[in-house]
């Protein structure tokens, strides 16, 4: 069941939201829904810190944190792809044992392919 929720934001935030939604070919409502879903799923300490950075308009820290989060997401994707490939037993000889480098190369190729689709 879905619910309708309204929120009041300042003009700057509304403009940024419209820009993001447009760049991602999404409706403003869809962007807001996604933002709420992600925000409420974060631990309280992380939510509080992000709100603090926003209130302080600390763009340098926000950008740096964003880069670090993207790097962490890339590592997690690579690890997941590696585990997925290992579970398929597609590499290696008759014992189905693959070298770690074979799996990492395939996982990297898989991750890049997925990134190009999104």
């Amino acid at each position: 069941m879905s619910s309708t929720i309204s929120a009041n934001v300042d003009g700057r935030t509304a403009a940024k939201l419209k820009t993001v939604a447009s760049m991602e070919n999404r409706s403003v409502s869809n962007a807001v829904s996604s933002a709420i879903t992600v925000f409420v799923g974060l631990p309280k300490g992380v939510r509080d810190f992000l709100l603090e950075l926003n209130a302080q308009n600390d763009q340098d820290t926000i950008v740096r944190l964003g880069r670090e989060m993207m790097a962490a997401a890339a590592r997690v994707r690579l690890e997941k792809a590696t585990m997925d490939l290992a579970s398929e037993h597609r590499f290696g000889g008759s014992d189905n044992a693959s070298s770690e480098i074979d799996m990492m190369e395939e996982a990297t190729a898989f991750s890049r392919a997925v990134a190009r689709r999104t």
Side-chain angles (χ1 to χ4, degrees), residues 50-105:
L50 292 172
L51 290 171
E52 178 184 323
L53 290 176
N54 188 60
Q56 295 170 350
N57 198 24
D58 187 349
Q59 292 301 310
D60 291 338
T61 303
I62 290 169
V63 168
R64 191 181 88 224
L65 184 59
R67 275 194 228 112
E68 291 177 17
M69 290 172 66
M70 289 302 297
R75 281 191 302 275
V76 169
R77 280 185 174 151
L78 180 61
E79 290 167 5
K80 182 177 178 340
T82 301
M83 291 183 343
D84 290 347
L85 286 168
S87 71
E88 292 179 11
H89 304 289
R90 294 189 316 161
F91 299 96
S94 59
D95 62 350
N96 287 331
S98 301
S99 74
E100 187 172 320
I101 194 70
D102 289 339
M103 288 189 289
M104 291 298 283
E105 287 174 354

Side-chain angles (χ1 to χ4, degrees), residues 12-80:
R12 189 177 116 239
T13 301
K16 285 170 68 175
L17 171 62
K18 289 176 185 176
T19 300
V20 168
S22 176
M23 287 176 19
E24 296 178 2
N25 294 318
R26 300 165 61 166
S27 68
V28 169
S29 178
N30 182 264
V32 169
S33 177
S34 294
I36 291 169
T37 299
V38 169
F39 187 78
V40 299
L42 294 171
K44 183 176 181 347
V46 173
R47 291 193 312 261
D48 289 347
F49 181 60
L50 292 172
L51 290 171
E52 178 184 323
L53 290 176
N54 188 60
Q56 295 170 350
N57 198 24
D58 187 349
Q59 292 301 310
D60 291 338
T61 303
I62 290 169
V63 168
R64 191 181 88 224
L65 184 59
R67 275 194 228 112
E68 291 177 17
M69 290 172 66
M70 289 302 297
R75 281 191 302 275
V76 169
R77 280 185 174 151
L78 180 61
E79 290 167 5
K80 182 177 178 340

